[in-house]
Amino acid sequence: MWTGVYMYKPYRMLVRICVTFSRQQWCREPPRWRGVCQQMRFARNFGTGDKEHNENEGERDNPESQLSGEKPSSQGLVFGKLGSRRRHLSPLERISQLLPQESLSQEVWELRRGRAEDQRPLGSMESSQEMTDTAGMGPEGSHENGRQRPDLQPCQESAEEVNFCDREEKMEEWQVGDGGDSSPAIFGEPPLGLGELVLAEYRGKGWLEFRKMFQLQEKGHLQSTWGSVAHSTIVGSRSGSLLQLSSGSPILVRRPSLEEYVLLMKRAPAIAYPKDSTAMLMMMDVSEGDSVLESGSGSGAMTLFLSRAVGSRGCVTSVERREDHHQRALRNYQRWRKAWKLRRGEEWPDNVRFHVAELQGAGALLSGLRFNSAVLDMLSPQVALPAVFPYLNDGAVCAVYLVNLTQVIDLLEGVRVSGLPLQCERIIEVQHRDWLVAPAVMKDGTAAARVAPFSGTGDEEEEQSHAEGKEEEDFSCDDDVPFGTVTYMVRPHHQQTAHTAFLVKLRKIKAKNS
Ligand SMILES: C[S@@+](CC[C@H](N)C(=O)[O-])C[C@H]1O[C@@H](n2cnc3c(N)ncnc32)[C@H](O)[C@@H]1O
């Protein structure tokens, strides 16, 4: 038992051993607390905000993997040695194949190694580690053969190796999965290549200072206040690599998620924010194979989420009255599809039909179509409702995106006056609250140690050894800072996404006599 910075010696030694080992696993340099602090700041910004966009829902490093850093347990091997025949994959194994290689935990790597050993002929088990290493995928593999972690150093594969033209052939090499009947082949993601969309991020004082999305070009340079880096340096790195800017500052390069893409792509009108788009998908219960109507296309942000949700068997009909907005939506959609092809080697579904038309007068365009759901993000949607209504399936949901509450009232009044059998089931506002959770760092760069509360009634012996401990070690700034002895700042982030929209859920009801 211990409070604050105090604990019994045996515990303290044990913790110190664990922490030291953890640092040996993860740090390139001999460990110094300041360095660890920096790493933790990178890993622990659970809720930081992008200065420019007030939105930072990017992929994060797994803080637990940074902190734990345990030696892989031998239990993992037991999982793998179930027999020499090919067996079904567990849910954990299946999921691990979908994740970026760098993010897999030690346990998953053990599991995989176990599988590799399973499938080797008997008597050749001793070289199983070699197999893992040559695959060059696992953090422990890199550690054991003296290589550094891929996310701390640019991948050594050269740009020539990842030639733009032979990329499709290369895809096969990055394919993972056992290829057995029970597990369809899943594409792993190749290193970053020319023509791909990349997101670069710099995290300085505990939050995101810089974020830029760009296309990798042969002679391009990424410029920032913190220095520059040539695109050719980025080509060949794994997504999620920390590279160095000319100033020495670290910059994270990775592929953008769809959410990040729509936030950073070029806009014509304002977009439906991803947090609202995904809530509307849920409202409409959009499923693979659905046929969905959208208006207006705007910049194409909502369109992309709809396209992903309906998949290759579904279809999105997107109607926009302005030619320039229509063109922007189309370009954004095609750009994402192209990036996807380079990233995965497979086509993003070509499932959106873009039309330039006023929705109220789009009868000819819609005739013969039926929709499982509709989403309206446009001015005065109540005016367009009578035109949309006949093409909705009974029970279908029409989700409406409105910025002001007065518009919500106009919509409901429009429904009431038109007499359309539409039932308003919900009106919601989606709020995300970003939090800042990171080690508190003092002005001189050292970590702030926790202070044990003063206890006048406590055991004297305990207090005595507590005092001795303090003389021996001052945890505030040395290397051996045991787990749990550092103060964290834990508060809502000072930059929050403000109000974006009200989402109204209207359901088509089948009238009694119709
Ligand atoms: C806010 S934007 C939509 C943004 C889009 N949801 C996105 O996520 O990028 C509204 C769009 O609706 C279009 N619009 C407005 N009234 C329309 C109508 N009656 N028929 C078709 N489009 C319309 C506008 O031209 C504008 O491009």
Side-chain angles (χ1 to χ4, degrees), residues 77 113-114 116-118 120 124-134:
L77 290 170
R113 191 191 306 161
E117 283 172 359
D118 262 3
R120 287 171 67 78
S124 59
M125 296 297 267
E126 66 286 350
S127 55
S128 65
Q129 184 55 51
E130 256 174 55
M131 279 173 58
T132 329
D133 285 348
T134 42

Side-chain angles (χ1 to χ4, degrees), residues 1 56-57 66 87 91 125 174 178 180 234 284 291 300 363 395 421:
M1 288 296 294
N56 72 328
E57 300 292 289
Q66 296 254 349
R87 58 177 174 72
M125 296 297 267
W174 296 308
D178 67 5
I234 301 172
M284 297 184 285
S291 166

Side-chain angles (χ1 to χ4, degrees), residues 358-372:
E358 186 95 28
L359 187 59
Q360 296 90 300
L365 195 107
L366 303 180
S367 96
L369 299 178
R370 297 294 292 182
F371 299 106
N372 299 93

Side-chain angles (χ1 to χ4, degrees), residues 91-131:
L92 178 63
E93 287 168 294
R94 280 169 199 274
I95 289 168
S96 82
Q97 289 181 353
L98 292 167
L99 293 171
Q101 306 298 309
E102 305 84 25
S103 67
L104 299 183
S105 70
Q106 301 286 333
E107 285 84 351
V108 176
W109 283 110
E110 282 296 335
L111 207 66
R112 282 198 173 180
R113 191 191 306 161
R115 277 191 53 224
E117 283 172 359
D118 262 3
Q119 288 165 17
R120 287 171 67 78
L122 281 173
S124 59
M125 296 297 267
E126 66 286 350
S127 55
S128 65
Q129 184 55 51
E130 256 174 55
M131 279 173 58

